[in-house]
Amino acid sequence: KTIDIRNVFYEIIKTKSLLARWVTDFDCKKEMPFWYIIKDNSPLIESYSSNTRNQIKKGIKNFKIRRVNKDEICHTAYSIYKKAFISYEKNEKIISLERFQKNLTEEFEYWGVYKNDKLVGYAQNRVYDESCDYSTIKIDPQYKKDYPNYALIHMMNEFYLQKRSLKYINNGTRSIAHHTNIQDFLIKKFKFRKAYCNLHIRYHPVIKIIIFLLFPIRSIFRLSKTKFLRNVNILLFQEELRR
């Protein structure tokens, strides 16, 4: 789809946004610094290594995985979100219960992970015409040793790629805010792959000047632990990928 740069600029000004970001040449064959993590190959358990197959089977044995409605997640999943959130470092704050519930809309499909009829994990997915975005996956950390994530991801992969016959599953873009192990996990265990693309950014005029001035000295922001400077580092790293 062709992007009219003038319209992008007007929308940035009108909405008082910092920037607009989009990609072109999705899943090009050339290796690029920006990518999405997707799966478009066989979701069957036979396609994985023997080790992964065993972990999936243990997860299925230990937990019940099923699709659920929004209300079930809305009323019981907030504690799981908080436990999962504090188990790893993020450049964000835990959102309130009110905000958490507001983010659970009918635009998504939901999955629950149960241990003895208790919800211990969930997934929030957005389905498009040809693809499914794995928007959020959260598991209570105390149950992870019993492989619930293996069972959940495997069953969702089978459902969307085999039963629904979607073209691919998308687990998002290269992370620019923090290091994440989930993408390496999906590539290694479930044969996801990198779909390379070109990254484009259009800045608000004020932000454009700031990026221009700070980009040559961007290395000094990389080790900062203050939230504001870490956010500056994220913007500069994103600009580095664009260039």
Side-chain angles (χ1 to χ4, degrees):
K1 184 178 180 179
T2 302
I3 301 293
D4 189 329
I5 300 299
R6 292 170 299 178
N7 288 342
V8 171
F9 177 77
Y10 295 145
E11 285 298 316
I12 290 173
I13 299 299
K14 184 174 71 174
T15 60
K16 299 180 181 179
S17 301
L18 298 181
L19 57 88
R21 188 179 86 171
W22 69 97
V23 300
T24 58
D25 302 317
F26 177 76
D27 200 16
C28 64
K29 302 309 176 184
K30 181 181 178 182
E31 186 171 329
M32 305 290 285
F34 196 71
W35 60 73
Y36 285 79
I37 297 295
I38 71 168
K39 179 175 176 65
D40 58 355
N41 47 40
S42 173
L44 300 181
I45 194 169
E46 294 80 13
S47 65
Y48 304 128
S49 69
S50 60
N51 185 49
T52 300
R53 292 198 302 270
N54 288 335
Q55 291 162 328
I56 291 171
K57 291 174 182 176
K58 288 178 181 177
I60 292 174
K61 180 181 178 181
N62 292 326
F63 301 91
K64 290 183 179 179
I65 313 293
R66 60 182 173 86
R67 295 181 66 194
V68 296
N69 59 44
K70 175 179 71 71
D71 292 339
E72 192 160 354
I73 300 297
C74 189
H75 293 136
T76 57
Y78 184 64
S79 62
I80 298 171
Y81 157 75
K82 289 199 298 183
K83 291 176 184 177
F85 190 99
I86 64 178
S87 68
Y88 50 84
E89 181 182 357
K90 294 196 71 173
N91 189 33
E92 300 172 10
K93 290 183 178 180
I94 294 177
I95 62 176
S96 66
L97 173 61
E98 181 181 6
R99 176 67 181 276
F100 174 83
Q101 293 177 335
K102 188 176 181 180
N103 289 342
L104 302 175
T105 70
E106 298 294 344
E107 297 176 359
F108 295 93
E109 294 184 357
Y110 300 92
W111 292 69
V113 181
Y114 294 86
K115 180 73 171 181
N116 299 325
D117 295 324
K118 176 186 176 183
L119 185 72
V120 299
Y122 68 95
Q124 181 179 356
N125 305 328
R126 189 190 295 268
V127 177
Y128 297 94
D129 291 338
E130 296 185 328
S131 66
C132 174
D133 289 358
Y134 286 175
S135 174
T136 300
I137 296 176
K138 292 287 187 292
I139 304 290
D140 187 328
Q142 75 178 91
Y143 295 98
K144 281 192 172 182
K145 58 180 174 49
D146 293 323
Y147 307 105
N149 49 338
Y150 284 81
L152 174 62
I153 292 170
H154 170 65
M155 293 186 70
M156 292 195 305
N157 289 348
E158 277 197 331
F159 179 79
Y160 290 113
L161 290 177
Q162 185 178 33
K163 186 173 181 179
R164 294 274 286 268
S165 299
L166 298 181
K167 187 175 181 180
Y168 64 91
I169 293 164
N170 172 27
N171 191 247
T173 67
R174 175 178 181 170
S175 175
I176 62 171
H178 55 87
H179 178 72
T180 174
N181 294 322
I182 183 62
Q183 294 186 347
D184 294 335
F185 170 77
L186 291 174
I187 291 171
K188 180 180 179 181
K189 294 293 186 176
F190 290 94
K191 298 187 176 180
F192 279 65
R193 65 181 180 85
K194 295 177 181 178
Y196 295 103
C197 51
N198 284 308
L199 174 65
H200 303 270
I201 305 172
R202 184 77 169 182
Y203 296 103
H204 187 282
V206 174
I207 301 301
K208 183 176 182 179
I209 294 172
I210 294 173
I211 294 293
F212 176 79
L213 293 174
L214 296 183
F215 189 79
I217 57 171
R218 61 191 180 281
S219 61
I220 69 175
F221 296 96
R222 289 174 180 165
L223 299 178
S224 175
K225 295 184 178 180
T226 63
K227 182 178 180 180
F228 175 76
L229 294 181
R230 288 176 67 181
N231 286 333
V232 171
N233 179 60
I234 291 170
L235 283 174
L236 294 173
F237 178 58
Q238 181 174 247
E239 174 64 12
E240 186 174 340
L241 295 179
R242 182 195 71 81
R243 294 191 184 191

